[in-house]
């Protein structure tokens, strides 16, 4: 099975390409920028600007499935203009789906976003992207899975952890959800499917609703020493935890997130015991290995 992954050199793209290659698929990585050497070794790299139809056709030629990640989002520093975001995310997605149609690609995974419907240009591009995917499914009968990823932008370690309680998700869970969606699309377990990709802390509802008051004690029960770590590192905890119902993704894709705030606390506890300087640590939206 040959899978083209657009945006393969990016943050999600690296983790997704690695996992899909390790699962035994033949990967073709398509991006404007070449991937890092260890990622390039996973398969073939095709330089491709998704705004250019002939680039995209070359990247998708012979593919059985496509994972379309290439996009700009509003959090890039220095920022990318709205016009570029629109062109890459909308024209790029149109070109990818047109090339899929020409090639008869029957399984597509599309990187949507929690920003769907928020307003703003980036959000609008994900609304249009999902609509283009729906049209592709209706015109061709292909299986299409659209994943509304939550946030995994690279961040300081001490911000990444508490972010999991808000809108954050670990990049490894993003990659695992994408592989599960790819398999489901190839096996035609889904027709047109959309789901949220976020974190699950396994927390009682009362703690979710009143995390600032009840959270530190609950964390202490799960990870002894948690309360002291929260104070020592001045972790910024939310008043309530953002928690979505992820049961549909588990039922249909067989995917559930693995990394929660408790895993972050266990990791922090181990680093603290080793006297690591975690205040200077930047992570790629994932627990460091
Ligand atoms: N990072 C997040 O928190 C987040 C959250 C929700 C959704 N998403 C979506 O997930 C996907 C991946 O995001 P990411 O954080 O890995 O982004 P990223 O910026 O790390 O990577 C994007 C990749 O796309 C490539 N790219 C940009 N324009 C291109 C073009 N015209 N042609 C080909 N390649 C191009 C870039 O070179 C880069 O390698 C995107 O669709 C994004 O909108 C990301």
């Amino acid at each position: 099975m040959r899978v083209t992954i657009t945006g393969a050199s990016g943050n999600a793209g690296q983790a997704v390409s690695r996992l899909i290659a390790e699962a035994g698929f033949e990967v073709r990585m398509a991006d404007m920028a070449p991937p890092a050497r260890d990622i390039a070794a996973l398969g073939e790299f095709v330089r491709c600007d998704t705004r250019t139809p002939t680039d995209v056709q070359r990247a998708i030629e012979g593919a059985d499935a496509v994972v379309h990640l290439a996009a700009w989002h509003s959090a890039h520093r220095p920022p990318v203009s709205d016009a570029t975001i629109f062109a890459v995310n909308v024209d790029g997605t149109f070109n990818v789906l047109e090339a899929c149609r020409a090639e008869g690609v029957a399984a597509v995974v599309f990187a949507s976003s929690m920003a769907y419907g928020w307003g703003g240009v980036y959000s609008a591009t994900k609304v249009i992207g999902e609509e283009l995917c729906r049209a592709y499914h209706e015109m061709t009968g292909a299986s299409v899975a659209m994943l509304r990823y939550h946030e995994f932008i690279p961040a300081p370690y001490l911000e990444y952890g508490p972010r999991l309680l808000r809108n954050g998700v670990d990049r490894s869970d993003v990659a695992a959800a994408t592989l599960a969606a790819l398999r489901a699309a190839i096996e035609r377990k889904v027709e047109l499917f959309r789901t949220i990709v976020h974190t699950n802390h396994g927390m009682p509802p009362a703690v979710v609703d009143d995390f600032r008051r009840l959270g530190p004690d609950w964390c202490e029960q799960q990870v002894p020493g948690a309360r002291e770590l929260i104070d020592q590192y001045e972790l910024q905890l939310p008043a309530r935890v953002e928690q979505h119902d992820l049961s549909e993704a588990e039922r249909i894709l067989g995917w559930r997130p693995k990394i929660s705030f408790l895993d972050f606390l266990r990791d922090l506890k181990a680093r603290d015991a080793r006297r690591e300087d975690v205040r200077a640590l930047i992570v790629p939206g994932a627990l460091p290995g």
Side-chain angles (χ1 to χ4, degrees):
M1 272 276 166
R2 276 175 289 193
V3 181
T4 292
I5 301 159
T6 72
S9 305
N11 193 29
Q14 296 177 42
V16 165
S17 298
R18 187 179 298 285
L19 204 62
I20 290 178
E22 283 171 0
F25 293 94
E26 198 179 305
V27 298
R28 183 185 289 154
M29 294 162 286
D31 202 298
M32 282 200 320
R37 195 180 297 180
D38 58 327
I39 302 300
L42 298 171
E44 182 190 359
F45 171 67
V46 175
R47 193 183 284 272
C48 160
D49 184 331
T50 56
R51 289 167 292 190
T52 307
T54 47
D55 280 14
V56 181
Q57 284 151 17
R58 198 153 22 90
I60 289 177
E61 194 177 12
D64 299 298
V66 169
V67 176
H68 179 40
L69 305 173
W72 288 128
H73 47 71
S74 321
H76 285 280
R77 291 289 169 267
V80 179
S81 72
D82 281 355
T84 300
I85 290 175
F86 194 84
V88 170
N89 299 12
V90 175
D91 294 347
T93 299
F94 174 75
N95 291 337
V96 165
L97 294 172
E98 278 297 287
C100 285
R101 188 147 70 113
E103 205 59 37
V105 174
V108 172
V109 180
F110 173 65
S112 187
S113 173
M114 65 178 187
Y116 180 99
W118 277 6
V121 170
Y122 173 69
S123 165
T125 68
K126 293 302 181 184
V127 174
I128 298 169
E130 287 197 14
E131 273 304 296
L132 289 171
C133 286
R134 188 165 68 84
Y136 180 69
H137 165 72
E138 281 170 4
M139 285 187 298
T140 66
S143 301
V144 181
M146 300 172 290
L147 301 178
R148 291 184 183 170
Y149 299 149
H150 278 55
E151 189 175 333
F152 55 93
I153 291 168
Y157 176 74
L158 293 176
E159 288 174 23
Y160 149 84
R163 186 172 74 189
L164 296 173
L165 297 166
R166 299 183 176 90
N167 60 356
V169 60
D170 191 275
R171 188 182 64 161
S172 66
D173 283 324
V174 168
T178 308
L179 173 61
L182 173 67
R183 284 198 167 119
I186 289 171
E187 292 164 14
R188 296 205 69 86
K189 285 187 186 155
V190 293
E191 294 287 322
L192 181 68
F193 179 74
R194 75 172 59 75
T195 198
I196 284 170
V197 175
H198 188 223
T199 308
N200 184 0
H201 306 282
M203 218 176 263
V207 182
V208 167
D209 287 340
D210 195 0
F211 190 77
R212 191 161 290 148
R213 200 167 62 82
L214 303 177
D217 279 349
W218 182 79
C219 291
E220 180 70 32
Q221 283 162 18
Q222 319 301 317
V223 182
R227 186 182 267 290
E228 203 181 318
L229 290 169
I230 289 168
D231 290 343
Q232 181 187 338
Y233 289 98
E234 298 172 276
L235 301 182
Q236 299 300 307
L237 304 181
R240 87 181 291 285
V241 172
E242 181 176 336
Q243 188 69 81
H244 297 273
D245 178 1
L246 304 175
S247 57
E248 193 187 24
E250 181 162 3
R251 190 164 38 82
I252 294 175
L253 304 182
W255 167 82
R256 63 191 315 228
K258 290 207 172 114
I259 304 295
S260 73
F261 183 62
L262 295 179
D263 295 294
F264 165 73
L265 286 174
R266 288 186 196 102
D267 187 78
L268 177 58
K269 187 174 170 179
R271 289 174 196 279
D272 182 72
R274 295 197 296 268
R275 298 187 184 288
E276 270 185 41
D277 179 13
V278 291
R279 291 179 202 278
L281 188 58
I282 305 289
V283 296
L287 275 184

